[in-house]
Amino acid sequence: MHCAIQKAEVLDGAHLMQILWHDGTESFYPAVWLRDNCQCPDCYLDSAKARKFLVESLDVNIGIKDLSFDKKRVLITWPSEHTSEFEAEWLKKRCFSQQAREKLQRELFFPECQYWGSELQLPTLNFEDVLKNDEHAYKWLSSLKKVGIVRLTGASSKRGELLKLGKRIGFLYLTFYGHTWQVQDKVDANNVAYTTGKLSFHTDYPALHHPPGVQLLHCIKQTVTGGDSEIVDGFNICQKLKEKDPRAFHILSSTFVDFTDIGVDYCDFSVQSKHKIIELDDRGQVVRINFNNSTRDTVFDVPVEKVQPFYEALKLFVDLMNCEESKFTFKMNPGDVITFDNWRLLHGRCSYEAGTQITRHLEGAYADWDVVMSRLRILRKSVQNRN
């Protein structure tokens, strides 16, 4: 029995509980954590999976008065005579050992990341299968998290298909450009994407302090010549930059850059933000790329002596993106939907010729990573339960 308790005892003057498991491992649980996480109806609202017990009521120096156990559970009595019961499986999952914590974090956050360059084998699934089948939807979102991009084929060539995907995951991310937006050649365009010119590698919407995590693009109409899509794995490029020029990597991961977006669409807007182009977590791992050359502001809030080194670092970063071995080029066909990680991938577009009528039309939308990850966890549970 993997989660069977062999022995449970109190240590450290009643401030620590030790469990010896039948598989030979051991776990330690501080008394204060156990009291804080009591699962009884007075302390925990099971219908909401939420804690009712207040920190104001917590004695941070609390000790365990009495302890009993069997193979499946532990029963603790506290000095106030309040009792807490903990299931073996629940405790095992929350073991404080480094190995157990890392395992649980992997289960919660799907950190696996597969870097790629021009050799990318673009993950492809059927649009209708994703809408109707949980296993296909799970493969879609898990591949999106791991690889950073998935193509869906077989959608219709009319507007509204992205709303279906939004409903599949939960809901879409509303921005100043609307719930969905139309990428096509427009007179007096309020965004460079709404022209026929080349779009260099960029992430969308760094002008927001919380840029959308996932982008969805649905091809409704495609031009015969030009208009090819280009993508690059930003995390892979960051790794190459750090290896090639650590100073350039440090500059782009420590310098705050101003971004701006001003105009009228869903409503009028005047947006300003500050981001480091390469955003790191507290372990120094890249977690987001914030770069859009068109909305990078003319305002640059750095000392004058830091301007030249910044441009040198930025130029090297962009040059690495444009290396043939780094970028993947493909052409969307009507009915194709590409879904990709806007915090990781940078995307661009080759120019195409304008005609008397609209020759290329994509519908776009955004989703928040919190919404996508929520659906991914639910789908995994659904698929595992069926298997």
Side-chain angles (χ1 to χ4, degrees):
M1 295 176 65
H2 179 62
C3 289
I5 297 170
Q6 179 175 316
K7 183 180 180 181
E9 61 181 336
V10 176
L11 304 175
D12 189 28
H15 292 111
L16 191 69
M17 179 179 74
Q18 179 189 35
I19 290 183
L20 300 178
W21 303 96
H22 271 278
D23 63 5
T25 62
E26 62 181 4
S27 301
F28 296 90
Y29 304 93
V32 65
W33 178 84
L34 290 164
R35 180 62 192 91
D36 179 44
N37 290 285
C38 176
Q39 300 291 289
C40 83
D42 290 335
C43 298
Y44 185 76
L45 183 60
D46 187 64
S47 60
K49 307 301 180 188
R51 183 185 292 107
K52 292 168 62 179
F53 185 66
L54 305 178
V55 175
E56 289 89 334
S57 303
L58 179 64
D59 175 6
V60 297
N61 297 307
I62 196 167
I64 296 171
K65 182 180 178 181
D66 191 36
L67 172 67
S68 61
F69 70 93
D70 59 29
K71 289 183 178 181
K72 295 182 178 180
R73 64 185 60 81
V74 167
L75 181 66
I76 294 173
T77 302
W78 302 103
S80 66
E81 300 304 324
H82 186 83
T83 59
S84 301
E85 184 176 304
F86 299 98
E87 298 294 327
E89 185 176 350
W90 188 94
L91 286 168
K92 183 79 167 179
K93 185 176 182 179
R94 290 159 179 80
C95 174
F96 283 92
S97 72
Q98 182 173 343
Q99 183 180 8
R101 287 187 288 114
E102 289 177 351
K103 180 178 183 292
L104 182 54
Q105 292 302 300
R106 287 194 299 271
E107 291 177 8
L108 292 173
F109 295 105
F110 299 79
E112 186 179 1
C113 185
Q114 178 182 308
Y115 289 0
W116 49 265
S118 59
E119 79 289 351
L120 172 68
Q121 299 293 312
L122 187 59
T124 302
L125 294 165
N126 179 268
F127 179 82
E128 291 295 332
D129 287 345
V130 164
L131 292 182
K132 297 175 182 177
N133 183 284
D134 280 358
E135 289 192 9
H136 286 267
Y138 174 66
K139 188 173 182 181
W140 167 42
L141 296 184
S142 58
S143 297
L144 175 62
K145 185 66 175 64
K146 178 180 177 179
V147 183
I149 183 168
V150 178
R151 174 175 55 194
L152 306 179
T153 60
S156 72
S157 299
K158 60 182 181 181
R159 292 169 58 167
E161 296 290 72
L162 297 186
L163 296 174
K164 298 176 184 177
L165 286 179
K167 187 174 182 180
R168 186 64 167 109
I169 61 171
F171 51 89
L172 296 174
Y173 185 107
L174 176 62
T175 72
F176 289 109
Y177 293 94
H179 292 91
T180 65
W181 25 272
Q182 311 309 312
V183 184
Q184 56 194 36
D185 187 20
K186 299 179 182 178
V187 178
D188 295 326
N190 63 351
N191 190 294
V192 295
Y194 303 160
T195 68
T196 62
K198 174 182 171 60
L199 297 180
S200 60
F201 285 120
H202 64 283
T203 61
D204 270 26
Y205 241 144
L208 297 176
H209 277 107
H210 186 74
V214 173
Q215 184 166 169
L216 306 91
L217 287 172
H218 171 215
C219 182
I220 296 172
K221 190 174 184 179
Q222 181 62 281
T223 181
V224 176
T225 58
D228 290 15
S229 299
E230 295 183 316
I231 53 173
V232 66
D233 184 348
F235 288 1
N236 190 24
I237 298 301
C238 287
Q239 186 178 59
K240 291 182 177 182
L241 178 67
K242 190 174 184 179
E243 293 170 355
K244 184 178 181 68
D245 192 330
R247 179 171 176 268
F249 180 87
H250 174 72
I251 289 171
L252 296 185
S253 61
S254 61
T255 304
F256 280 96
V257 177
D258 293 80
F259 293 91
T260 185
D261 196 18
I262 299 171
V264 179
D265 200 298
Y266 186 76
C267 65
D268 51 346
F269 53 89
S270 180
V271 183
Q272 291 287 149
S273 72
K274 301 175 85 70
H275 288 292
K276 290 170 282 191
I277 288 178
I278 300 174
E279 190 168 319
L280 308 177
D281 64 14
D282 56 3
R283 299 172 300 159
Q285 299 297 310
V286 179
V287 293
R288 189 168 73 198
I289 312 296
N290 305 291
F291 180 63
N292 190 319
N293 203 52
S294 65
T295 58
R296 182 167 53 85
D297 205 344
T298 53
V299 174
F300 194 19
D301 184 21
V302 298
V304 67
E305 66 273 12
K306 292 190 175 183
V307 173
Q308 183 68 28
F310 168 81
Y311 276 99
E312 291 170 356
L314 180 60
K315 183 64 163 62
L316 179 56
F317 188 48
V318 172
D319 286 349
L320 287 173
M321 292 181 210
N322 283 288
C323 289
E324 289 301 320
E325 65 268 20
S326 297
K327 60 184 179 181
F328 180 79
T329 303
F330 64 102
K331 190 158 188 169
M332 295 183 69
N333 297 311
D336 286 355
V337 178
I338 57 166
T339 59
F340 60 93
D341 184 347
N342 187 56
W343 290 1
R344 173 181 169 185
L345 269 64
L346 297 98
H347 63 287
R349 180 193 70 204
C350 298
S351 62
Y352 63 96
E353 291 186 10
T356 55
Q357 296 181 330
I358 294 172
T359 58
R360 187 178 189 270
H361 180 193
L362 306 183
E363 184 169 41
Y366 300 117
D368 192 279
W369 262 121
D370 285 328
V371 177
V372 173
M373 292 298 293
S374 169
R375 183 55 54 195
L376 177 53
R377 296 182 190 105
I378 291 169
L379 287 167
R380 176 179 60 188
K381 186 174 181 180
S382 170
V383 170
Q384 288 176 344
N385 288 343
R386 290 179 184 179
N387 295 335

